[in-house]
Structure formats: structure tokens, C-alpha cells
């Protein structure tokens, strides 16, 4: 779901451009600015949130993903959509690395590798299955329906995560010096 949310604009640039009255280049900035936020946000948010309970962190992140995708489906203009996307990616930059790190906190050693691989498999599936599906939905039913669908899936993922992930999982705090020298 997070991979689909990140990749979504790539599958519906034409629909976004046409409906929002912007050029394809401007619609493509949803991808470019999003990538910048992910690159800068991932280490920064990992540092800022490393002392939080992982269940709380991951569920709040999925809640933000769900809400921003649902809100994107109702965005009245390009600027609103861009702001919602940057908020979503600013918060979401930490999800996949923290989900992989969380696997090591509560699983037996022999299950960690396969679970982490499963987490990253989600990105491959998002690119191979999710993005084409988003493209089909956007071309047939509009980009708003595509964002709404991702938002609904994020809501389902949120419920499943709250139901299955135990409380009290604390990771090792990240030292900002890791990235400075």
C-alpha cells in the first residue's frame, strides 16, 4: 500500500494533468518533489522517531497515508494535491525502513530474513501490480477513484497492523552522528 501511494502519480499523469489543468511536467513534479521528500525525510524521520513505540509509529504512519490519500481524492486543485502528497510522503518516508526494523524486534532470528524480504517484496508488487492497476483505474474511473482506492487499502492495512502488531516494541535510538561523518 505504501509503495502504491508513493508510485501512484506515475500511473495517472495524463489524468492529473487534464483534470487539474496543469502541464504533464507540472503533474510530474508530484513525483519529483515526492522523491526529494523521501530521500531527505527517511533519515530525518528515522532519527526523530527512533524513541517511539513501533506499533504506535507504524499505525500512525498508515493512518496518515490513509487520510492523505482519501483527502487527495477530493483535492480541489493541483496545489492542494501537492501539499497533501508532501505531507503523506514526509510522514511516510519512515514506514518501510521502520517496518523492516520492527520485524527484528519481535520475530525469532530464523524468521527475520524472510519477513524483511516480504516487507520489501511489497515495493516490487507495488511497481509490478499496483501501478498498472492504478493506471487502469485512473484511465477508466478517474484519478480521484485511484487515490480513494489506495486510501481504502491503507485503512484496511491500518486495521490489520493494529490488530496484529504487539505493543511495546522499542528499537535502538538512532544517533544523528551516523549521517554526519
Amino acid at each position: 500500500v505504501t509503495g502504491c501511494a508513493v508510485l501512484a502519480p506515475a500511473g495517472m499523469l495524463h489524468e492529473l494533468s487534464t483534470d487539474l489543468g496543469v502541464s504533464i511536467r507540472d503533474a510530474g513534479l508530484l513525483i519529483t518533489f515526492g522523491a526529494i521528500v523521501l530521500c531527505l525525510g527517511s533519515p530525518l524521520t528515522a532519527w526523530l522517531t527512533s524513541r517511539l513505540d513501533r506499533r504506535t509509529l507504524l499505525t500512525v504512519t498508515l493512518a496518515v497515508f490513509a487520510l492523505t490519500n482519501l483527502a487527495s481524492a477530493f483535492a480541489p486543485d493541483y496545489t492542494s494535491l501537492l501539499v497533501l502528497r508532501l505531507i503523506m510522503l514526509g510522514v511516510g518516508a519512515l514506514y518501510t525502513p521502520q517496518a523492516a526494523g520492527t520485524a527484528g524486534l519481535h520475530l525469532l532470528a530464523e524468521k527475520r530474513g524472510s519477513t524483511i524480504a516480504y516487507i520489501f517484496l511489497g515495493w516490487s508488487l507495488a511497481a509490478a501490480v499496483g501501478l498498472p492497476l492504478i493506471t487502469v483505474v485512473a484511465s477508466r474511473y478517474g484519478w480521484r477513484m485511484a487515490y480513494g482506492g489506495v486510501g481504502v487499502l491503507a485503512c484496511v492495512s491500518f486495521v490489520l497492523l493494529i490488530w496484529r502488531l504487539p505493543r511495546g516494541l522499542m528499537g535502538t535510538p538512532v544517533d544523528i552522528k551516523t549521517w554526519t561523518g
Side-chain angles (χ1 to χ4, degrees):
V1 172
T2 58
C4 287
V6 169
L7 298 172
M12 49 188 174
L13 285 176
H14 174 72
E15 290 78 9
L16 289 165
S17 170
T18 301
D19 194 47
L20 295 172
V22 298
S23 68
I24 292 282
R25 182 193 70 83
D26 287 344
L29 290 176
L30 292 168
I31 299 166
T32 304
F33 291 149
I36 292 167
V37 168
L38 284 174
C39 288
L40 299 176
S42 192
L44 182 61
T45 56
W47 171 64
L48 290 171
T49 62
S50 67
R51 288 175 169 63
L52 298 176
D53 172 70
R54 294 296 167 239
R55 181 175 188 249
T56 301
L57 177 65
L58 293 174
T59 55
V60 166
T61 301
L62 271 178
V64 170
F65 258 84
L67 293 174
T68 53
N69 276 283
L70 291 171
S72 293
F74 299 99
D77 55 38
Y78 174 78
T79 303
S80 302
L81 183 62
L82 179 61
V83 168
L84 285 166
R85 181 157 173 79
L86 295 179
I87 291 168
M88 184 251 310
L89 292 174
V91 172
L94 60 86
Y95 188 83
T96 300
Q98 293 301 338
T102 300
L105 297 176
H106 73 99
L107 295 174
L108 298 173
E110 57 271 6
K111 292 195 173 217
R112 286 182 195 149
S114 62
T115 301
I116 291 170
Y118 181 75
I119 290 167
F120 285 98
L121 173 65
W123 277 91
S124 298
L125 289 173
V129 178
L131 189 54
L133 193 57
I134 286 168
T135 302
V136 168
V137 169
S139 67
R140 292 202 175 174
Y141 306 106
W143 63 271
R144 294 178 188 280
M145 186 65 73
Y147 271 115
V150 172
V152 167
L153 288 174
C155 288
V156 170
S157 297
F158 168 81
V159 169
L160 291 172
L161 192 64
I162 255 183
W163 174 47
R164 298 292 299 166
L165 193 62
R167 296 179 195 274
L169 297 173
M170 300 299 290
T172 304
V174 175
D175 187 352
I176 195 70
K177 293 176 189 168
T178 304
W179 294 293
T180 60

